[in-house]
Amino acid sequence: MAEKQPTSFVQPTPTGKEELGQIEVAPEVIEVIAGIAATEVEGVAATRGNFASGVVEKFGKKVHSKGIKSAMSEDGRIVIDVFCSVKYGFAVPKVAKDVQASIRQAILNMTAIETSEVNVHITAIQFDNVSANKA
């Protein structure tokens, strides 16, 4: 699967509408949409960021695209990779499928662009006060 980093994704003209020009959506926009959709899924603790996004968040700015990578497949459709952690007690396969469905639907609803793949990479399980419950 040869993927290339796109400069923009071309949004198709809706059927029955007059084409007035080309609409391009920046990869960063797709990544923000995917990031918000992923964090809204029940059971997702967080998406993985890097040092720069961690510093930015320390100053109070929310980085919605952290842990999301977008690329274009050979057939011109979007491939999304999501790196996230799951909360302890949630079924990993169910959370991953819910993340896939949420991202696919959000991108389709907001941009009318089809996704080819939504790959979910679970990088950690987040334990919140599990040991505190054991007395």
Side-chain angles (χ1 to χ4, degrees):
M1 163 180 14
E3 296 171 0
K4 57 184 177 179
Q5 183 61 31
T7 55
S8 65
F9 298 105
V10 179
Q11 185 177 22
T13 303
T15 54
K17 299 290 182 179
E18 179 182 346
E19 187 168 337
L20 300 174
Q22 188 171 353
I23 300 170
E24 295 183 0
V25 181
E28 294 82 10
V29 173
I30 300 293
E31 291 169 0
V32 167
I33 293 169
I36 292 170
T39 55
E40 288 179 348
V41 172
E42 187 179 11
V44 173
T47 52
R48 182 185 78 184
N50 56 22
F51 179 74
S53 64
V55 170
V56 169
E57 285 188 334
K58 293 288 185 201
F59 289 108
K61 183 161 171 43
K62 191 98 168 126
V63 180
H64 292 290
S65 63
K66 71 177 185 177
I68 311 291
K69 303 282 186 242
S70 65
M72 191 174 293
S73 66
E74 292 174 358
D75 62 354
R77 293 172 50 175
I78 301 174
V79 175
I80 302 287
D81 284 294
V82 184
F83 300 87
C84 61
S85 57
V86 174
K87 294 177 185 174
Y88 178 79
F90 286 86
V92 173
K94 181 184 182 329
V95 172
K97 284 198 179 293
D98 290 348
V99 167
Q100 287 176 323
S102 178
I103 289 174
R104 186 178 301 264
Q105 193 63 45
I107 290 174
L108 184 62
N109 288 345
M110 297 183 79
T111 66
I113 299 174
E114 292 279 340
T115 53
S116 168
E117 298 175 21
V118 178
N119 303 311
V120 180
H121 307 271
I122 306 299
T123 59
I125 301 292
Q126 183 172 334
F127 298 93
D128 286 331
N129 300 326
V130 173
S131 60
N133 293 337
K134 297 178 182 176

